[in-house]
Amino acid sequence: MSQTDPTAAGSGDDQPTPADQLDQTLGVVWTGPTEEFPTQPWPSGRAERDRPASDTCSVCGGVVDPDGYCTQCGAKAKSVRDHWIEAPADWVAGVCDSGLVHPHNEDALATAATAEPGRRAVIVVCDGVTTSQDSDLASLAAARRARDLLWSDQPQGLGLSRTQAAATAQRLRQAIQAANRAVIEATAPDSPNPASATIALAEVAGSTCFWATLGDSRVYWLPDQAEAVLLSQDHSLAQAQIDQGVSRQAAEASVLAHTITKWLGLDAVDLEPSAGQFQLDRPGWVLVCSDGLWNYASSAPALRQAFEQAASQPEPTDSPLALARRLVDWANGQGGHDNVTVGLARCGV
Amino acid sequence: MVDFSSAVYQNEFLPDQGTDVHAIVQLTCQGAGSAGRSGLGEVGEIIIVDASGSMMGDRIEMAKRAAAVAVDSILDGTWFAIVAGTHQAFLAYPRVLNGQGMVRMDPSSRLAAKSAIASFRADGGTAIGQWLLLARKLFASVPSLVGRHTILLTDGEDYNETPTQLDSAIRQCIGQFQADCRGIGVDWKVNEVRKIAQALLGSVDIIPDAHDLPQIMAGLVQQAMSRGVADAQLRVWIPQDAQILFVRQVSPTVEDLTHRGSPINPLTQGYPTGAWGDESRDYHIAVRLPAKSLGVEQLAARVQLAVGAQVLTQGLVKARWSADPGLTAQISPEVAHYTGQTELALAIQEGLAARAAGDDRTATVKLGRAVQLAAQTGNDEATSKLRRVVEVADATSGLVKLRRDVDKADEMALDTASTKTTRIRG
């Protein structure tokens, strides 16, 4: 599923420096030309709400008509917007799925990665708020905008790691601002119920992972040989209770647990993300997801358990796409009550 | 360029275990152009004029004038023929004994046809089935025609043949041509002529005063000439294991199509709709599905309009099962409106039939219900026609009294207009 680098081909002396020749001690990162990402069969917006993702009916095996319904049993096929995968490189992949209960998929996913493992990747997950208008369009626009900005805007700092880190952290904030503008552009100005969405983004740059979130989409770090870590802090009523000493289990079981306190949108009040960075100093997985996954495995150890099951059942795999699919299938097996999105990057190898 | 579009009106939400899906599908044709001018093929028009003895006097003179007006209104290039009907059917024009029984309209054939019409005399009986069969034969003599339409004028009952003979003639003509039928005066039978019009995808109406004939004829021909789409088919696809409960045209008139379908494939039925001009028609489709789990969405029907093998528009009728009574309890206003209009048509026809049979009690109940439905659905034409047959004490509750001195023409006008519907208000 890896994508070759079309801009690098034939560019002669402009070939980027391979990552293994980077001066890691100085924290110099690659600043060469950016790669294109595949545009098919990813959804682009309103039209894809009804375009079927597959021409085979998942209920009866009949042929799905371009109108989105089976020609035999009439079952509604999942649309391109309801379910899609992204696999920009062998080491980065994600799945965005409507789940089993929601009629639409308001989650969104956008990824980009260098073909060369571990050098550079961006994963963005957004979760549109179901009760707001056109939030499926808004969340997709936001995820794309954030990815495009992170992927194309190479920091041209002095190449020192501290400067680099500060610049990248600043760019993540800018990406969230850009995503917010994308949501607003996708919203009718007079909407009584303007679209809103969460955002979680992770940028892998060599041995460092930068992350930022707004709302309750999350970033986890799952090292192979050490304890898993939940990196992000939700902006939700549940998190507010946890901060006051209530146990995670109790807080997240409450009716209002999923009420978010920060979001992207016309009516956003605070765009300051939960953000940070950490060293990818050992082999492991960066996992970015929506609450459709962590609803069934919130704590880092619980998520770790679900991940290990996915990695080993029915047969062992270390393909990020296979793992993302299995995690989505697992969430759907738990009830699939919400849209589910999982993005994974294999790091630190 | 002709353009068909569709709109679906329904409440797609079904309660747990719910099975029946109702929808109104509105099909609209724009840019139909003129008959025979679309490049899709030639069209034919046959004018059938009752020349029986009962037409003697004013009526035959006005019918002749009307036929001449028709000849003037038929577009040049259209194939046409004039039939005079008595207890036999005569080909009045063109005057041929074999070969092609129709000719193209041009200045010289127009002149010759008018002179043939001028020689009509009223004499003999009435055998409408014979007239229809001659029209069928004439159309068959020009096999290249893609559109075939007739206008039938009569003033009397079908005395000179049995109902079986007439039915057999109608059956042979189904799918061969369309017929708009008009009855002159009050001595013809609405049921008889309506049977022909419904089978042959046409309209029926009364012309109480023969002096209106030329004007009405001109309107009918112009309407026929404005139908640039010669023949279109309504197609209804349903899922396997589903069942079509009914398929009805509900606007501009109520026509039950349920038993007129022919299979296109195992899941799709095709229903005739005849020629189309620039117009909208509404169809009420009811489908029964096996109930699915709450939350599931599926398609209940694809409703299409096809010309030849080409599907030109499609409306999707959906089903979604929900536990929310706020969603499932609503009846689509369009479905409710046309359900009422369909019941209205039936109540008028049954009420008038009961009245004719001397069953005043049933007539009062049925016509009372009709008054109530006409008021509820805002069908002012039906309301005003009903008021000529019954005295209305209270329209809301449907309390009425039969009038004793009803003008026969008013009663027949109510009967012929019973299937006309109004569109939903707002």
Side-chain angles (χ1 to χ4, degrees):
Chain A
M1 298 298 291
S2 75
Q3 193 68 15
T4 51
D5 182 346
T7 56
S11 55
D13 293 337
D14 294 336
Q15 288 284 340
T17 313
D20 56 2
Q21 292 172 24
L22 292 178
D23 184 347
Q24 296 291 345
T25 56
L26 287 174
V28 174
V29 298
W30 174 62
T31 58
T34 60
E35 293 178 59
E36 300 289 326
F37 4 88
T39 53
Q40 295 291 331
W42 297 354
S44 64
R46 208 175 282 274
E48 270 74 15
R49 279 176 174 170
D50 296 319
R51 189 154 64 83
S54 162
D55 57 10
T56 303
C57 174
S58 62
V59 176
C60 76
V63 176
V64 172
D65 191 86
D67 66 23
Y69 296 88
C70 177
T71 55
Q72 285 297 311
C73 72
K76 183 174 169 60
K78 284 206 169 185
S79 73
V80 173
R81 182 67 185 86
D82 288 336
H83 176 93
W84 85 96
I85 63 165
E86 297 204 4
D90 284 341
W91 60 287
V92 176
V95 175
C96 184
D97 185 85
S98 59
L100 300 181
V101 175
H102 281 223
H104 302 292
N105 185 10
E106 282 127 1
D107 272 11
L109 170 72
T111 60
T114 55
E116 186 181 333
R119 184 199 283 169
R120 189 153 181 271
V122 171
I123 299 174
V124 185
V125 169
C126 286
D127 176 357
V129 174
T130 305
T131 51
S132 65
Q133 235 172 26
D134 287 344
S135 60
D136 57 330
L137 303 180
S139 66
L140 188 61
R144 294 262 169 85
R145 188 75 63 87
R147 175 203 58 195
D148 292 352
L149 184 130
L150 289 176
W151 191 243
S152 62
D153 277 8
Q154 298 295 327
Q156 304 290 333
L158 294 175
L160 297 174
S161 59
R162 223 174 339 167
T163 320
Q164 182 64 45
T168 302
Q170 183 54 27
R171 282 194 311 112
L172 261 62
R173 282 179 169 75
Q174 286 166 356
I176 285 175
Q177 305 271 358
N180 191 52
R181 288 193 294 276
V183 169
I184 292 168
E185 283 164 23
T187 304
D190 52 351
S191 172
N193 192 7
S196 50
T198 71
I199 188 165
L201 34 87
E203 176 169 353
V204 173
S207 60
T208 311
C209 176
F210 299 87
W211 58 269
T213 67
L214 202 68
D216 65 356
S217 296
R218 292 181 175 177
V219 182
Y220 291 86
W221 167 232
L222 306 168
D224 295 352
Q225 304 294 336
E227 279 187 15
V229 190
L230 167 57
L231 296 165
S232 55
Q233 280 217 326
D234 293 349
H235 303 112
S236 68
L237 292 186
Q239 185 62 43
Q241 287 194 297
I242 293 167
D243 293 345
Q244 287 167 15
V246 179
S247 78
R248 176 171 293 281
Q249 208 178 357
E252 288 176 354
S254 110
V255 189
L256 293 173
H258 282 267
T259 304
I260 52 176
T261 54
K262 290 189 187 185
W263 58 87
L264 302 173
L266 191 60
D267 54 0
V269 288
D270 182 356
L271 294 177
E272 183 55 33
S274 155
Q277 66 181 83
F278 64 99
Q279 290 304 302
L280 301 163
D281 53 1
R282 59 191 77 188
W285 295 89
V286 171
L287 185 152
V288 187
C289 67
S290 66
D291 60 349
L293 178 70
W294 69 247
N295 275 337
Y296 307 112
S298 176
S299 68
L303 192 78
R304 171 71 181 232
Q305 202 181 345
F307 185 87
E308 277 177 1
Q309 187 190 322
S312 59
Q313 307 280 336
E315 74 284 331
T317 182
D318 58 0
S319 145
L321 181 58
L323 284 164
R325 278 185 164 140
R326 286 183 188 178
L327 283 168
V328 166
D329 288 348
W330 175 78
N332 283 333
Q334 304 297 304
H337 296 99
D338 203 347
N339 308 143
V340 193
T341 305
V342 178
L344 284 168
R346 179 68 176 156
C347 297
V349 184
Chain B
M1 190 57 200
V2 63
D3 180 40
F4 280 95
S5 57
S6 55
V8 178
Y9 303 94
Q10 67 162 144
N11 177 11
E12 64 197 60
F13 291 100
L14 292 175
D16 195 16
Q17 303 302 317
T19 57
D20 295 358
V21 182
H22 288 259
I24 302 297
V25 180
Q26 182 168 73
L27 300 175
T28 301
C29 176
Q30 285 174 303
S34 294
R37 300 286 170 90
S38 59
L40 298 171
E42 295 176 311
V43 297
E45 182 72 41
I46 296 179
I47 308 296
I48 306 172
V49 178
D50 187 340
S52 64
S54 61
M55 290 285 286
M56 190 100 69
D58 242 14
R59 280 190 190 161
I60 194 71
E61 290 313 314
M62 295 317 289
K64 282 156 74 170
R65 205 180 290 175
V69 166
V71 167
D72 278 335
S73 305
I74 292 170
L75 298 175
D76 281 11
T78 306
W79 291 77
F80 79 105
I82 312 290
V83 168
T86 63
H87 55 286
Q88 295 174 293
F90 298 97
L91 177 55
Y93 187 84
R95 295 181 187 274
V96 293
L97 293 173
N98 48 43
Q100 289 188 327
M102 302 179 76
V103 292
R104 272 183 226 265
M105 183 65 81
D106 60 31
S108 88
S109 61
R110 184 171 284 125
L111 203 64
K114 283 183 178 173
S115 117
I117 290 164
S119 68
F120 278 14
R121 282 181 304 117
D123 191 16
T126 303
I128 301 175
Q130 293 300 307
W131 314 351
L132 295 174
L133 289 175
L134 176 57
R136 181 183 191 276
K137 224 182 268 181
L138 295 173
F139 281 127
S141 75
V142 189
S144 64
L145 297 179
V146 295
R148 295 184 288 263
H149 182 259
T150 67
I151 295 169
L152 188 156
L153 297 180
T154 183
D155 79 334
E157 221 175 313
D158 195 32
Y159 281 121
N160 297 91
E161 56 190 3
T162 63
T164 318
Q165 284 175 306
L166 178 59
D167 288 346
S168 156
I170 293 171
R171 261 200 311 281
Q172 293 177 63
C173 294
I174 286 177
Q176 302 301 310
F177 57 90
Q178 286 185 256
D180 283 315
C181 305
R182 293 295 178 269
I184 307 161
V186 295
D187 298 324
W188 56 286
K189 286 276 171 291
V190 174
N191 278 340
E192 210 165 70
V193 178
R194 179 159 51 211
K195 189 165 66 179
I196 298 167
Q198 287 187 331
L200 303 183
L201 305 173
S203 60
V204 60
D205 207 348
I206 180 173
I207 305 175
D209 183 350
H211 290 91
D212 296 331
L213 262 173
Q215 186 203 336
I216 287 168
M217 177 64 91
L220 285 170
V221 175
Q222 276 156 19
Q223 187 182 45
M225 292 293 111
S226 72
R227 289 183 175 147
V229 177
D231 193 23
Q233 186 183 48
L234 178 74
R235 291 185 180 178
V236 180
W237 171 96
I238 54 165
Q240 59 195 13
D241 305 328
Q243 176 196 350
I244 291 179
L245 295 176
F246 60 78
V247 174
R248 263 182 218 144
Q249 180 186 290
V250 289
S251 178
T253 57
V254 178
E255 311 289 347
D256 191 0
L257 300 175
T258 313
H259 302 293
R260 303 180 66 171
S262 53
I264 305 295
N265 59 49
L267 299 177
T268 310
Q269 291 282 310
Y271 303 88
T273 68
W276 286 67
D278 288 355
E279 60 180 309
S280 280
R281 300 185 199 175
D282 295 351
Y283 295 88
H284 185 165
I285 316 283
V287 175
R288 180 162 291 167
L289 302 170
K292 304 279 160 54
S293 326
L294 290 172
V296 169
E297 174 182 342
Q298 76 159 86
L299 202 58
R302 290 182 173 92
V303 181
Q304 308 167 329
L305 202 73
V307 173
Q310 210 182 353
V311 173
L312 296 180
T313 186
Q314 168 172 283
L316 300 180
V317 179
K318 297 170 187 176
R320 268 168 80 176
W321 283 268
S322 167
D324 181 353
L327 295 175
T328 60
Q330 296 167 14
I331 294 174
S332 145
E334 290 79 8
V335 170
H337 175 79
Y338 283 126
T339 302
Q341 295 267 294
T342 303
E343 194 191 340
L344 170 63
L346 201 64
I348 291 173
Q349 288 174 26
E350 287 176 352
L352 290 177
R355 190 176 175 281
D359 180 355
D360 283 2
R361 247 187 70 181
T362 305
T364 307
V365 171
K366 295 284 181 188
L367 293 174
R369 175 68 179 145
V371 165
Q372 193 181 27
L373 286 163
Q376 278 170 9
T377 58
N379 191 330
D380 297 337
E381 186 185 342
T383 297
S384 98
K385 288 193 158 79
L386 277 162
R387 282 178 182 276
R388 292 169 184 268
V389 178
V390 294
E391 281 174 48
V392 179
D394 179 18
T396 316
S397 62
L399 193 61
V400 302
K401 218 169 89 184
L402 299 183
R403 286 185 189 276
R404 284 299 140 207
D405 51 344
V406 174
D407 187 336
K408 180 85 168 116
D410 284 340
E411 187 182 337
M412 290 172 77
L414 175 61
D415 202 351
T416 56
S418 61
T419 60
K420 284 186 194 161
T421 58
T422 49
R423 286 234 152 83
I424 191 163
R425 283 174 172 172

